Structures are given as C-alpha cells and as structure tokens.
Short mmCIF file of all heavy atoms in Angstrom, two decimals:
data_model
loop_
_atom_site.label_atom_id
_atom_site.label_comp_id
_atom_site.label_asym_id
_atom_site.label_seq_id
_atom_site.Cartn_x
_atom_site.Cartn_y
_atom_site.Cartn_z
N MET A 1 0.03 -12.76 18.29
CA MET A 1 -0.49 -12.62 16.92
C MET A 1 -1.58 -11.57 16.87
O MET A 1 -2.46 -11.51 17.72
CB MET A 1 -1.09 -13.96 16.45
CG MET A 1 -0.05 -15.06 16.33
SD MET A 1 0.94 -14.91 14.86
CE MET A 1 -0.05 -15.83 13.68
N ALA A 2 -1.54 -10.74 15.91
CA ALA A 2 -2.57 -9.73 15.76
C ALA A 2 -2.80 -9.50 14.27
O ALA A 2 -1.91 -9.71 13.44
CB ALA A 2 -2.15 -8.44 16.42
N GLN A 3 -3.98 -9.08 13.95
CA GLN A 3 -4.35 -8.90 12.55
C GLN A 3 -4.18 -7.44 12.13
O GLN A 3 -4.60 -6.53 12.85
CB GLN A 3 -5.80 -9.32 12.37
CG GLN A 3 -6.00 -10.14 11.12
CD GLN A 3 -7.45 -10.56 10.95
OE1 GLN A 3 -8.34 -10.08 11.64
NE2 GLN A 3 -7.68 -11.46 10.03
N CYS A 4 -3.59 -7.23 10.98
CA CYS A 4 -3.46 -5.88 10.43
C CYS A 4 -4.85 -5.35 10.06
O CYS A 4 -5.63 -6.04 9.41
CB CYS A 4 -2.57 -5.93 9.19
SG CYS A 4 -2.51 -4.36 8.30
N GLU A 5 -5.13 -4.13 10.49
CA GLU A 5 -6.48 -3.60 10.24
C GLU A 5 -6.64 -3.08 8.81
O GLU A 5 -7.75 -2.76 8.40
CB GLU A 5 -6.81 -2.52 11.26
CG GLU A 5 -5.97 -1.25 11.12
CD GLU A 5 -6.38 -0.21 12.15
OE1 GLU A 5 -6.44 -0.55 13.33
OE2 GLU A 5 -6.63 0.93 11.74
N VAL A 6 -5.55 -3.00 8.07
CA VAL A 6 -5.64 -2.54 6.68
C VAL A 6 -5.81 -3.71 5.72
O VAL A 6 -6.76 -3.76 4.95
CB VAL A 6 -4.40 -1.71 6.28
CG1 VAL A 6 -4.44 -1.36 4.79
CG2 VAL A 6 -4.34 -0.43 7.11
N CYS A 7 -4.89 -4.67 5.78
CA CYS A 7 -4.92 -5.75 4.79
C CYS A 7 -5.40 -7.08 5.38
O CYS A 7 -5.60 -8.03 4.66
CB CYS A 7 -3.54 -5.93 4.16
SG CYS A 7 -2.29 -6.52 5.31
N GLY A 8 -5.57 -7.14 6.72
CA GLY A 8 -6.09 -8.35 7.34
C GLY A 8 -5.06 -9.44 7.54
O GLY A 8 -5.40 -10.53 7.98
N ASN A 9 -3.81 -9.14 7.25
CA ASN A 9 -2.75 -10.14 7.42
C ASN A 9 -2.55 -10.46 8.90
O ASN A 9 -2.48 -9.57 9.74
CB ASN A 9 -1.45 -9.57 6.82
CG ASN A 9 -0.34 -10.60 6.78
OD1 ASN A 9 -0.58 -11.80 6.80
ND2 ASN A 9 0.89 -10.12 6.71
N ASP A 10 -2.48 -11.74 9.21
CA ASP A 10 -2.24 -12.19 10.58
C ASP A 10 -0.74 -12.46 10.72
O ASP A 10 -0.23 -13.42 10.19
CB ASP A 10 -3.04 -13.48 10.82
CG ASP A 10 -3.48 -13.59 12.26
OD1 ASP A 10 -2.92 -12.87 13.11
OD2 ASP A 10 -4.39 -14.40 12.52
N TYR A 11 -0.05 -11.59 11.41
CA TYR A 11 1.41 -11.60 11.36
C TYR A 11 1.98 -11.55 12.76
O TYR A 11 1.53 -10.77 13.60
CB TYR A 11 1.85 -10.38 10.54
CG TYR A 11 3.32 -10.28 10.24
CD1 TYR A 11 4.06 -11.38 9.82
CD2 TYR A 11 3.97 -9.05 10.35
CE1 TYR A 11 5.40 -11.26 9.53
CE2 TYR A 11 5.32 -8.92 10.04
CZ TYR A 11 6.03 -10.04 9.64
OH TYR A 11 7.35 -9.91 9.35
N ASP A 12 2.98 -12.37 13.04
CA ASP A 12 3.50 -12.43 14.41
C ASP A 12 4.39 -11.24 14.75
O ASP A 12 4.73 -11.03 15.91
CB ASP A 12 4.23 -13.75 14.65
CG ASP A 12 5.46 -13.92 13.78
OD1 ASP A 12 5.66 -13.10 12.87
OD2 ASP A 12 6.22 -14.87 14.00
N LYS A 13 4.76 -10.44 13.76
CA LYS A 13 5.56 -9.25 14.05
C LYS A 13 4.75 -7.97 13.83
O LYS A 13 5.28 -6.93 13.45
CB LYS A 13 6.84 -9.22 13.20
CG LYS A 13 7.80 -10.33 13.58
CD LYS A 13 9.06 -10.28 12.76
CE LYS A 13 10.02 -11.42 13.16
NZ LYS A 13 9.43 -12.76 12.90
N SER A 14 3.48 -8.07 14.05
CA SER A 14 2.63 -6.89 13.93
C SER A 14 2.97 -5.90 15.04
O SER A 14 3.61 -6.24 16.03
CB SER A 14 1.16 -7.29 14.04
OG SER A 14 0.90 -7.83 15.32
N PHE A 15 2.56 -4.66 14.88
CA PHE A 15 2.84 -3.64 15.89
C PHE A 15 1.64 -2.71 16.02
O PHE A 15 0.78 -2.65 15.14
CB PHE A 15 4.10 -2.84 15.52
CG PHE A 15 4.03 -2.14 14.20
CD1 PHE A 15 3.64 -0.80 14.12
CD2 PHE A 15 4.36 -2.81 13.03
CE1 PHE A 15 3.57 -0.16 12.90
CE2 PHE A 15 4.29 -2.17 11.81
CZ PHE A 15 3.89 -0.84 11.73
N ASP A 16 1.60 -2.02 17.13
CA ASP A 16 0.48 -1.12 17.41
C ASP A 16 0.93 0.33 17.33
O ASP A 16 2.04 0.67 17.69
CB ASP A 16 -0.08 -1.37 18.82
CG ASP A 16 -0.62 -2.78 18.97
OD1 ASP A 16 -1.15 -3.31 17.97
OD2 ASP A 16 -0.51 -3.34 20.06
N VAL A 17 0.06 1.16 16.83
CA VAL A 17 0.29 2.59 16.80
C VAL A 17 -0.88 3.24 17.54
O VAL A 17 -2.04 2.91 17.28
CB VAL A 17 0.34 3.14 15.35
CG1 VAL A 17 0.47 4.67 15.35
CG2 VAL A 17 1.50 2.51 14.60
N VAL A 18 -0.58 4.13 18.47
CA VAL A 18 -1.64 4.85 19.17
C VAL A 18 -1.66 6.28 18.65
O VAL A 18 -0.68 7.00 18.73
CB VAL A 18 -1.42 4.84 20.70
CG1 VAL A 18 -2.52 5.65 21.38
CG2 VAL A 18 -1.39 3.41 21.23
N LEU A 19 -2.79 6.65 18.05
CA LEU A 19 -2.93 7.98 17.49
C LEU A 19 -4.20 8.61 18.06
O LEU A 19 -5.28 8.03 17.94
CB LEU A 19 -3.02 7.88 15.96
CG LEU A 19 -3.04 9.21 15.22
CD1 LEU A 19 -1.67 9.88 15.28
CD2 LEU A 19 -3.43 8.99 13.76
N ASN A 20 -4.05 9.74 18.69
CA ASN A 20 -5.18 10.42 19.31
C ASN A 20 -5.95 9.49 20.26
O ASN A 20 -7.17 9.50 20.30
CB ASN A 20 -6.14 10.98 18.25
CG ASN A 20 -5.44 12.00 17.36
OD1 ASN A 20 -4.58 12.74 17.82
ND2 ASN A 20 -5.80 12.03 16.09
N GLY A 21 -5.20 8.66 21.00
CA GLY A 21 -5.82 7.78 21.99
C GLY A 21 -6.43 6.52 21.41
O GLY A 21 -6.97 5.70 22.13
N GLN A 22 -6.38 6.36 20.09
CA GLN A 22 -6.94 5.16 19.46
C GLN A 22 -5.83 4.23 19.04
O GLN A 22 -4.86 4.65 18.41
CB GLN A 22 -7.75 5.55 18.23
CG GLN A 22 -9.18 5.95 18.55
CD GLN A 22 -10.05 5.90 17.32
OE1 GLN A 22 -9.73 6.55 16.32
NE2 GLN A 22 -11.12 5.15 17.37
N GLN A 23 -5.97 2.96 19.38
CA GLN A 23 -4.95 2.00 19.04
C GLN A 23 -5.22 1.35 17.69
O GLN A 23 -6.35 0.95 17.40
CB GLN A 23 -4.87 0.93 20.12
CG GLN A 23 -3.73 -0.05 19.89
CD GLN A 23 -3.55 -1.00 21.07
OE1 GLN A 23 -3.52 -0.58 22.21
NE2 GLN A 23 -3.44 -2.27 20.77
N HIS A 24 -4.19 1.30 16.87
CA HIS A 24 -4.29 0.67 15.55
C HIS A 24 -3.25 -0.43 15.46
O HIS A 24 -2.16 -0.29 16.00
CB HIS A 24 -4.04 1.70 14.44
CG HIS A 24 -4.98 2.86 14.47
ND1 HIS A 24 -6.18 2.87 13.79
CD2 HIS A 24 -4.92 4.04 15.12
CE1 HIS A 24 -6.80 4.02 14.01
NE2 HIS A 24 -6.05 4.75 14.82
N THR A 25 -3.57 -1.50 14.79
CA THR A 25 -2.66 -2.63 14.65
C THR A 25 -2.33 -2.84 13.18
O THR A 25 -3.22 -2.90 12.34
CB THR A 25 -3.30 -3.91 15.22
OG1 THR A 25 -3.65 -3.67 16.58
CG2 THR A 25 -2.33 -5.08 15.16
N PHE A 26 -1.03 -2.94 12.90
CA PHE A 26 -0.58 -3.12 11.51
C PHE A 26 0.48 -4.19 11.42
O PHE A 26 1.18 -4.46 12.40
CB PHE A 26 0.01 -1.80 10.97
CG PHE A 26 -0.95 -0.64 11.06
CD1 PHE A 26 -0.76 0.35 12.01
CD2 PHE A 26 -2.04 -0.55 10.22
CE1 PHE A 26 -1.64 1.41 12.11
CE2 PHE A 26 -2.93 0.51 10.31
CZ PHE A 26 -2.73 1.50 11.26
N ASP A 27 0.62 -4.76 10.24
CA ASP A 27 1.67 -5.74 10.01
C ASP A 27 2.89 -5.10 9.35
O ASP A 27 3.95 -5.70 9.27
CB ASP A 27 1.16 -6.89 9.14
CG ASP A 27 0.78 -6.44 7.74
OD1 ASP A 27 0.42 -5.27 7.58
OD2 ASP A 27 0.84 -7.27 6.82
N SER A 28 2.74 -3.89 8.83
CA SER A 28 3.85 -3.25 8.13
C SER A 28 3.69 -1.74 8.18
O SER A 28 2.58 -1.22 8.39
CB SER A 28 3.87 -3.69 6.66
OG SER A 28 2.73 -3.19 6.00
N PHE A 29 4.79 -1.05 7.99
CA PHE A 29 4.71 0.41 7.95
C PHE A 29 3.93 0.88 6.73
O PHE A 29 3.29 1.93 6.75
CB PHE A 29 6.12 1.02 7.94
CG PHE A 29 6.75 1.02 9.30
CD1 PHE A 29 7.73 0.10 9.63
CD2 PHE A 29 6.34 1.92 10.27
CE1 PHE A 29 8.29 0.07 10.89
CE2 PHE A 29 6.89 1.91 11.54
CZ PHE A 29 7.87 0.98 11.86
N GLU A 30 3.99 0.10 5.67
CA GLU A 30 3.24 0.47 4.48
C GLU A 30 1.75 0.56 4.81
O GLU A 30 1.07 1.52 4.43
CB GLU A 30 3.47 -0.57 3.37
CG GLU A 30 2.79 -0.18 2.08
CD GLU A 30 3.04 -1.20 0.97
OE1 GLU A 30 3.73 -2.19 1.22
OE2 GLU A 30 2.52 -0.97 -0.13
N CYS A 31 1.25 -0.42 5.55
CA CYS A 31 -0.17 -0.40 5.93
C CYS A 31 -0.45 0.73 6.92
O CYS A 31 -1.49 1.38 6.85
CB CYS A 31 -0.56 -1.75 6.52
SG CYS A 31 -0.66 -3.07 5.30
N ALA A 32 0.49 0.97 7.84
CA ALA A 32 0.30 2.04 8.82
C ALA A 32 0.23 3.39 8.12
O ALA A 32 -0.62 4.23 8.42
CB ALA A 32 1.45 2.02 9.83
N ILE A 33 1.11 3.60 7.14
CA ILE A 33 1.12 4.85 6.39
C ILE A 33 -0.18 4.99 5.60
O ILE A 33 -0.80 6.05 5.57
CB ILE A 33 2.35 4.90 5.45
CG1 ILE A 33 3.61 5.09 6.28
CG2 ILE A 33 2.20 6.02 4.42
CD1 ILE A 33 4.89 4.77 5.53
N HIS A 34 -0.60 3.88 5.00
CA HIS A 34 -1.84 3.89 4.22
C HIS A 34 -3.01 4.36 5.09
O HIS A 34 -3.85 5.13 4.66
CB HIS A 34 -2.11 2.49 3.68
CG HIS A 34 -3.39 2.37 2.90
ND1 HIS A 34 -3.48 2.78 1.58
CD2 HIS A 34 -4.60 1.92 3.25
CE1 HIS A 34 -4.73 2.58 1.18
NE2 HIS A 34 -5.43 2.06 2.16
N ALA A 35 -3.05 3.90 6.34
CA ALA A 35 -4.19 4.19 7.21
C ALA A 35 -4.06 5.54 7.92
O ALA A 35 -5.06 6.22 8.13
CB ALA A 35 -4.33 3.08 8.25
N LEU A 36 -2.85 5.93 8.28
CA LEU A 36 -2.69 7.05 9.21
C LEU A 36 -2.04 8.31 8.64
O LEU A 36 -2.27 9.39 9.17
CB LEU A 36 -1.87 6.60 10.43
CG LEU A 36 -2.41 5.41 11.22
CD1 LEU A 36 -1.48 5.09 12.37
CD2 LEU A 36 -3.82 5.68 11.73
N ALA A 37 -1.23 8.18 7.61
CA ALA A 37 -0.50 9.35 7.14
C ALA A 37 -1.45 10.39 6.53
O ALA A 37 -2.37 10.03 5.79
CB ALA A 37 0.55 8.93 6.10
N PRO A 38 -1.25 11.65 6.84
CA PRO A 38 -2.08 12.68 6.22
C PRO A 38 -1.74 12.83 4.74
O PRO A 38 -0.69 12.38 4.29
CB PRO A 38 -1.70 13.95 7.01
CG PRO A 38 -0.33 13.68 7.54
CD PRO A 38 -0.24 12.20 7.76
N ARG A 39 -2.65 13.48 3.99
CA ARG A 39 -2.38 13.69 2.58
C ARG A 39 -2.06 15.16 2.33
O ARG A 39 -2.63 16.04 2.96
CB ARG A 39 -3.61 13.32 1.74
CG ARG A 39 -3.76 11.85 1.50
CD ARG A 39 -4.99 11.59 0.65
NE ARG A 39 -5.16 10.16 0.39
CZ ARG A 39 -4.54 9.51 -0.59
NH1 ARG A 39 -3.71 10.16 -1.39
NH2 ARG A 39 -4.76 8.24 -0.77
N CYS A 40 -1.19 15.39 1.38
CA CYS A 40 -0.87 16.76 0.96
C CYS A 40 -2.12 17.40 0.35
O CYS A 40 -2.80 16.78 -0.48
CB CYS A 40 0.27 16.72 -0.06
SG CYS A 40 0.59 18.33 -0.79
N ALA A 41 -2.44 18.62 0.78
CA ALA A 41 -3.64 19.29 0.30
C ALA A 41 -3.51 19.70 -1.16
O ALA A 41 -4.50 20.02 -1.82
CB ALA A 41 -3.93 20.51 1.17
N HIS A 42 -2.30 19.70 -1.69
CA HIS A 42 -2.11 20.12 -3.09
C HIS A 42 -1.97 18.92 -4.04
O HIS A 42 -2.76 18.76 -4.95
CB HIS A 42 -0.89 21.03 -3.22
CG HIS A 42 -0.66 21.47 -4.62
ND1 HIS A 42 -1.52 22.33 -5.27
CD2 HIS A 42 0.31 21.16 -5.52
CE1 HIS A 42 -1.06 22.54 -6.50
NE2 HIS A 42 0.03 21.83 -6.67
N CYS A 43 -1.00 18.07 -3.80
CA CYS A 43 -0.75 16.99 -4.76
C CYS A 43 -1.36 15.66 -4.31
O CYS A 43 -1.32 14.68 -5.04
CB CYS A 43 0.75 16.83 -5.03
SG CYS A 43 1.68 16.18 -3.63
N ASN A 44 -1.91 15.61 -3.08
CA ASN A 44 -2.64 14.44 -2.60
C ASN A 44 -1.74 13.25 -2.29
O ASN A 44 -2.23 12.13 -2.13
CB ASN A 44 -3.72 14.02 -3.60
CG ASN A 44 -4.98 13.56 -2.88
OD1 ASN A 44 -5.27 14.02 -1.78
ND2 ASN A 44 -5.72 12.66 -3.49
N CYS A 45 -0.45 13.45 -2.22
CA CYS A 45 0.42 12.32 -1.90
C CYS A 45 0.45 12.12 -0.38
O CYS A 45 0.09 13.01 0.39
CB CYS A 45 1.83 12.54 -2.44
SG CYS A 45 2.76 13.80 -1.54
N ARG A 46 0.85 10.95 0.05
CA ARG A 46 0.98 10.67 1.47
C ARG A 46 2.15 11.45 2.04
O ARG A 46 3.23 11.47 1.46
CB ARG A 46 1.23 9.18 1.68
CG ARG A 46 0.07 8.31 1.30
CD ARG A 46 -1.03 8.41 2.33
NE ARG A 46 -2.17 7.58 1.93
CZ ARG A 46 -3.35 7.64 2.53
NH1 ARG A 46 -3.55 8.51 3.49
NH2 ARG A 46 -4.33 6.87 2.14
N ILE A 47 1.93 12.05 3.19
CA ILE A 47 3.00 12.76 3.86
C ILE A 47 3.64 11.82 4.87
O ILE A 47 3.06 11.51 5.90
CB ILE A 47 2.48 14.04 4.55
CG1 ILE A 47 1.81 14.95 3.52
CG2 ILE A 47 3.62 14.74 5.28
CD1 ILE A 47 1.06 16.11 4.15
N VAL A 48 4.80 11.33 4.54
CA VAL A 48 5.47 10.36 5.39
C VAL A 48 6.56 11.04 6.21
O VAL A 48 6.89 10.60 7.30
CB VAL A 48 6.07 9.22 4.53
CG1 VAL A 48 6.79 8.21 5.40
CG2 VAL A 48 4.96 8.53 3.76
N GLY A 49 7.09 12.11 5.68
CA GLY A 49 8.11 12.86 6.41
C GLY A 49 7.44 13.89 7.32
O GLY A 49 6.30 13.72 7.72
N HIS A 50 8.15 14.93 7.62
CA HIS A 50 7.60 15.95 8.52
C HIS A 50 6.48 16.74 7.85
O HIS A 50 5.55 17.17 8.50
CB HIS A 50 8.70 16.91 8.97
CG HIS A 50 9.65 16.28 9.92
ND1 HIS A 50 10.89 15.84 9.57
CD2 HIS A 50 9.52 15.97 11.24
CE1 HIS A 50 11.49 15.30 10.62
NE2 HIS A 50 10.69 15.37 11.64
N GLY A 51 6.62 16.97 6.58
CA GLY A 51 5.63 17.77 5.88
C GLY A 51 5.70 19.23 6.30
O GLY A 51 6.58 19.65 7.04
N VAL A 52 4.78 19.99 5.79
CA VAL A 52 4.72 21.42 6.09
C VAL A 52 3.29 21.73 6.49
O VAL A 52 2.35 21.31 5.82
CB VAL A 52 5.08 22.26 4.83
CG1 VAL A 52 4.92 23.74 5.11
CG2 VAL A 52 6.51 21.94 4.39
N GLU A 53 3.12 22.46 7.59
CA GLU A 53 1.77 22.81 8.01
C GLU A 53 1.61 24.32 7.90
O GLU A 53 2.43 25.09 8.39
CB GLU A 53 1.51 22.35 9.44
CG GLU A 53 0.04 22.49 9.82
CD GLU A 53 -0.28 21.90 11.18
OE1 GLU A 53 0.60 21.26 11.76
OE2 GLU A 53 -1.40 22.12 11.66
N ALA A 54 0.55 24.74 7.23
CA ALA A 54 0.27 26.16 7.10
C ALA A 54 -1.22 26.40 7.27
O ALA A 54 -2.04 25.75 6.60
CB ALA A 54 0.72 26.66 5.72
N ASN A 55 -1.60 27.27 8.16
CA ASN A 55 -3.00 27.59 8.41
C ASN A 55 -3.83 26.33 8.68
O ASN A 55 -4.97 26.20 8.23
CB ASN A 55 -3.60 28.35 7.21
CG ASN A 55 -2.77 29.57 6.86
OD1 ASN A 55 -2.24 30.25 7.75
ND2 ASN A 55 -2.63 29.84 5.57
N GLY A 56 -3.24 25.36 9.38
CA GLY A 56 -3.97 24.15 9.74
C GLY A 56 -4.07 23.13 8.63
O GLY A 56 -4.76 22.13 8.77
N THR A 57 -3.42 23.37 7.49
CA THR A 57 -3.46 22.45 6.36
C THR A 57 -2.08 21.83 6.17
O THR A 57 -1.08 22.51 6.29
CB THR A 57 -3.87 23.19 5.09
OG1 THR A 57 -5.12 23.85 5.33
CG2 THR A 57 -4.05 22.22 3.93
N MET A 58 -2.06 20.55 5.85
CA MET A 58 -0.79 19.86 5.69
C MET A 58 -0.40 19.78 4.22
O MET A 58 -1.22 19.49 3.35
CB MET A 58 -0.90 18.42 6.23
CG MET A 58 -1.08 18.32 7.72
SD MET A 58 0.38 18.85 8.65
CE MET A 58 1.56 17.56 8.18
N TYR A 59 0.87 20.02 3.97
CA TYR A 59 1.44 19.86 2.63
C TYR A 59 2.69 19.00 2.74
O TYR A 59 3.33 18.96 3.79
CB TYR A 59 1.83 21.22 2.04
CG TYR A 59 0.65 22.17 1.94
CD1 TYR A 59 0.44 23.13 2.92
CD2 TYR A 59 -0.23 22.10 0.87
CE1 TYR A 59 -0.64 23.99 2.85
CE2 TYR A 59 -1.31 22.95 0.79
CZ TYR A 59 -1.51 23.91 1.77
OH TYR A 59 -2.58 24.76 1.71
N CYS A 60 3.04 18.34 1.63
CA CYS A 60 4.21 17.47 1.67
C CYS A 60 5.50 18.27 1.61
O CYS A 60 6.54 17.81 2.07
CB CYS A 60 4.16 16.45 0.53
SG CYS A 60 4.28 17.16 -1.12
N CYS A 61 5.43 19.47 1.01
CA CYS A 61 6.65 20.25 0.87
C CYS A 61 6.29 21.72 0.67
O CYS A 61 5.14 22.06 0.41
CB CYS A 61 7.46 19.77 -0.34
SG CYS A 61 6.57 19.93 -1.90
N ALA A 62 7.28 22.58 0.78
CA ALA A 62 7.05 24.01 0.65
C ALA A 62 6.55 24.37 -0.75
O ALA A 62 5.77 25.30 -0.94
CB ALA A 62 8.33 24.78 0.96
N HIS A 63 6.99 23.61 -1.75
CA HIS A 63 6.54 23.87 -3.12
C HIS A 63 5.01 23.75 -3.22
O HIS A 63 4.35 24.61 -3.80
CB HIS A 63 7.21 22.91 -4.09
CG HIS A 63 6.69 23.01 -5.49
ND1 HIS A 63 7.08 24.01 -6.35
CD2 HIS A 63 5.79 22.27 -6.17
CE1 HIS A 63 6.43 23.86 -7.49
NE2 HIS A 63 5.64 22.81 -7.41
N CYS A 64 4.46 22.68 -2.67
CA CYS A 64 3.01 22.48 -2.72
C CYS A 64 2.28 23.57 -1.94
O CYS A 64 1.24 24.06 -2.37
CB CYS A 64 2.66 21.10 -2.17
SG CYS A 64 3.02 19.76 -3.31
N ALA A 65 2.81 23.94 -0.79
CA ALA A 65 2.20 25.01 -0.01
C ALA A 65 2.18 26.29 -0.83
O ALA A 65 1.18 27.01 -0.88
CB ALA A 65 2.97 25.21 1.29
N GLY A 66 3.27 26.55 -1.54
CA GLY A 66 3.36 27.75 -2.38
C GLY A 66 2.36 27.72 -3.52
O GLY A 66 1.76 28.74 -3.86
N GLU A 67 2.14 26.53 -4.09
CA GLU A 67 1.18 26.38 -5.18
C GLU A 67 -0.24 26.68 -4.72
O GLU A 67 -1.10 27.06 -5.51
CB GLU A 67 1.24 24.95 -5.75
CG GLU A 67 2.52 24.61 -6.47
CD GLU A 67 2.60 25.29 -7.83
OE1 GLU A 67 1.68 25.12 -8.63
OE2 GLU A 67 3.59 26.00 -8.08
N GLU A 68 -0.49 26.48 -3.43
CA GLU A 68 -1.81 26.77 -2.86
C GLU A 68 -1.87 28.19 -2.31
O GLU A 68 -2.82 28.55 -1.61
CB GLU A 68 -2.13 25.76 -1.75
CG GLU A 68 -2.31 24.33 -2.26
CD GLU A 68 -3.57 24.17 -3.11
OE1 GLU A 68 -4.61 24.70 -2.74
OE2 GLU A 68 -3.49 23.49 -4.16
N GLY A 69 -0.88 28.97 -2.60
CA GLY A 69 -0.92 30.38 -2.22
C GLY A 69 -0.33 30.68 -0.85
O GLY A 69 -0.47 31.78 -0.33
N VAL A 70 0.31 29.68 -0.26
CA VAL A 70 0.95 29.90 1.03
C VAL A 70 2.40 30.32 0.78
O VAL A 70 3.15 29.59 0.16
CB VAL A 70 0.94 28.63 1.89
CG1 VAL A 70 1.65 28.87 3.22
CG2 VAL A 70 -0.49 28.16 2.11
N SER A 71 2.73 31.49 1.23
CA SER A 71 4.13 31.92 1.06
C SER A 71 4.80 31.89 2.42
O SER A 71 4.23 31.47 3.41
CB SER A 71 4.18 33.31 0.45
OG SER A 71 3.42 34.20 1.24
N ALA A 72 6.00 32.32 2.48
CA ALA A 72 6.76 32.43 3.73
C ALA A 72 7.11 31.06 4.31
O ALA A 72 7.46 30.95 5.46
CB ALA A 72 6.01 33.23 4.78
N ILE A 73 6.98 30.00 3.49
CA ILE A 73 7.47 28.69 3.95
C ILE A 73 8.55 28.24 2.99
O ILE A 73 8.38 28.31 1.79
CB ILE A 73 6.34 27.64 3.97
CG1 ILE A 73 5.32 28.01 5.02
CG2 ILE A 73 6.91 26.25 4.26
CD1 ILE A 73 4.14 27.06 5.07
N LYS A 74 9.62 27.78 3.55
CA LYS A 74 10.70 27.26 2.71
C LYS A 74 11.10 25.89 3.22
O LYS A 74 11.05 25.64 4.43
CB LYS A 74 11.92 28.19 2.75
CG LYS A 74 11.75 29.48 1.98
CD LYS A 74 13.10 30.15 1.79
CE LYS A 74 12.99 31.38 0.89
NZ LYS A 74 12.23 32.46 1.54
N ASP A 75 11.46 25.01 2.28
CA ASP A 75 12.02 23.74 2.72
C ASP A 75 13.33 24.04 3.45
O ASP A 75 14.08 24.92 3.05
CB ASP A 75 12.33 22.85 1.50
CG ASP A 75 11.07 22.15 1.01
OD1 ASP A 75 10.27 21.70 1.86
OD2 ASP A 75 10.88 22.07 -0.21
N ARG A 76 13.57 23.29 4.47
CA ARG A 76 14.83 23.48 5.17
C ARG A 76 15.96 22.93 4.35
O ARG A 76 15.95 21.78 3.94
CB ARG A 76 14.77 22.79 6.54
CG ARG A 76 14.14 23.70 7.56
CD ARG A 76 13.63 23.04 8.76
NE ARG A 76 14.49 21.96 9.27
CZ ARG A 76 14.59 21.71 10.56
NH1 ARG A 76 13.99 22.46 11.43
NH2 ARG A 76 15.31 20.70 10.98
N ALA A 77 16.93 23.76 4.08
CA ALA A 77 18.03 23.35 3.23
C ALA A 77 18.97 22.43 4.00
O ALA A 77 19.08 22.56 5.20
CB ALA A 77 18.81 24.59 2.75
ZN1 ZN B 101 -1.28 -4.85 6.48
ZN1 ZN B 102 2.43 17.86 -2.20
#
C-alpha cells in the first residue's frame, strides 16, 4: 500500500515513477500527469504525448511552437 502524493489516495495498485532520480508515488496516471507532465509554453496544456521541443522549450504541437515564432518544426504526418 502506498499513498498517492497528489491526491493522498491510499491505493493497493499504486505505482512509482522515477524522474531525475526522484521517486514519486501515484495511484493513477491522471495524478502522475498532473504532477510530472510538462506544460506547453504556448497554450499551457499538459504535454502527455511526445510534444515538440525547440530551443529548450516544450510545446504540445508544432502549431503552438509556430505561434511562438518557432519555425522549421512540423508535426509528423
Ligand atoms: Zn492520486
Ligand atoms: Zn500547445
């Protein structure tokens, strides 16, 4: 049994995620995403997929990167 560090739920099917050497415990992927997923620098949504990285900044998609003036990135068709 372990407690989710986001919502505090004590759940027997909790799981651990190690990010940058730090261990985090969650009861659901929703909580894990809430705590760990980066945010798009343009629209501020959670980046759950691969996202797009340009100049060290994360975006959810090529459209958002383009809106911030980053060109030369295209979504993979
Ligand atoms: Zn939780
Ligand atoms: Zn975005």
Side-chain angles (χ1 to χ4, degrees):
M1 295 283 272
Q3 223 180 11
C4 173
E5 67 179 51
V6 174
C7 67
N9 188 22
D10 212 343
Y11 186 44
D12 64 352
K13 292 181 181 63
S14 64
F15 59 95
D16 298 327
V17 175
V18 178
L19 186 71
N20 299 326
Q22 275 198 304
Q23 185 173 312
H24 302 269
T25 303
F26 303 107
D27 65 333
S28 66
F29 282 104
E30 184 179 0
C31 288
I33 289 164
H34 178 80
L36 303 179
R39 280 181 180 276
C40 172
H42 180 69
C43 70
N44 218 29
C45 72
R46 293 285 179 192
I47 302 170
V48 179
H50 289 102
V52 176
E53 190 174 352
N55 306 323
T57 305
M58 292 293 293
Y59 301 97
C60 65
C61 61
H63 174 79
C64 284
E67 292 286 305
E68 293 292 317
V70 178
S71 55
I73 294 177
K74 286 194 174 68
D75 279 319
R76 275 161 40 146

